[in-house]
Amino acid sequence: MNYTLEQNMPVAVFDSGLGGLSTLIELRKLMPGEDFLYYGDFANSPYGTKSAEEVKRLAFECVKYLLSRKVKAIVIACNTATSAAAGSLRECYDFLPIIGAEPAIKPAVLYKSGSNVLVMATSMTLAEEKFKTLSQSLKDKANIIPLPCPGLVEFVERGDTDSPELCSFLKEHIEKNIRVKIDSVVLGCTHYPFVANVVSKIVGRDVPIFDGNKGIAKECKRRLEALSLLNLQSALGKVEITGNQIDDKKIKIAEKLMENK
Ligand code: DGL
């Protein structure tokens, strides 16, 4: 493929929907001079309840579109798509920095050894090899408790991050499935940091909550630096939010999510 990476190209960030905006927020904090192109695959959201094969196909579609927009790196701001497709995408597009997302279990385990670590993520992320290998490697250090949360992504997609319905949905879900005292929580889906406040209310304000977004931003910066691709402009970079089936309502919700973070 004849494709040249250049410093002034935007960094692409994609997700099944609006969840990846929580990653975009951290990327912008760390690299304010970069231009970003955010893409939500709204027509196919949510990913987490689909098969890995299907999500892989959809992730390739997203990347195909993003390459047509001339981007210099791709951030898969989606744990589910990373589990299903990151390896194959890297093989196929080996000239392109591709940065993935994974549940931030390590910092949670390091926070307190032998503790109960609740990992909230999509059904697919928790069923995939990537999560199994990671939790297996840490199983002697902590009790890792996976909790799939089908239905939660849809609240965030509607822009609902704190309603009484959301609170009772999450409270019931956690109380029904978790019988032990939780010492820390890992939000292993990029949609979930937008509801961290509600999670905190349920598990206790003193329980630390981890997500992988800062780690993704750091890794992205490191990769761009290594390839001399960092945008060195002093002005604030531009952000374009787009996607399939995007409309004014989605844009308004996106703006609200970005403001409240
Ligand atoms: N935000 C995504 C993740 O990190 C996908 C959620 C979904 O579409 O189910 O897993």
Side-chain angles (χ1 to χ4, degrees), residues 5 12 19 29 38 57 83 116 121 126 152 154-155 158 161 164 174 180 182 189 214 222 234 246 250 258:
L5 307 176
K29 277 189 204 156
Y38 183 89
R57 188 184 67 74
S83 306
N116 289 322
L126 297 173
L152 186 50
E154 288 85 337
F155 279 94
R158 289 194 293 272
T161 54
I174 292 175
V180 294
I182 294 302
C189 167
K214 283 199 172 65
R222 194 188 67 73
S234 53
I246 192 158
K250 271 284 179 217
M258 302 268 293

Side-chain angles (χ1 to χ4, degrees), residues 96 138 143 150 157 182 184 240:
L96 187 69
L138 296 165
N143 178 26
E157 288 296 314
I182 294 302
S184 62
E240 177 184 341

Side-chain angles (χ1 to χ4, degrees), residues 147-150 168-178:
L147 180 65
C149 301
S168 40
F169 169 85
L170 259 180
K171 194 167 159 38
E172 249 172 60
H173 188 59
I174 292 175
E175 286 176 358
K176 195 171 92 197
N177 291 290
I178 307 300

Side-chain angles (χ1 to χ4, degrees), residues 15-17 19-20 45-49 77-81 101 122 125 153 188-191:
D15 179 38
S16 62
S45 175
Y47 279 178
T49 46
C78 176
N79 295 259
T80 310
T122 67
T125 296
V153 160
C189 167
T190 53
H191 282 77

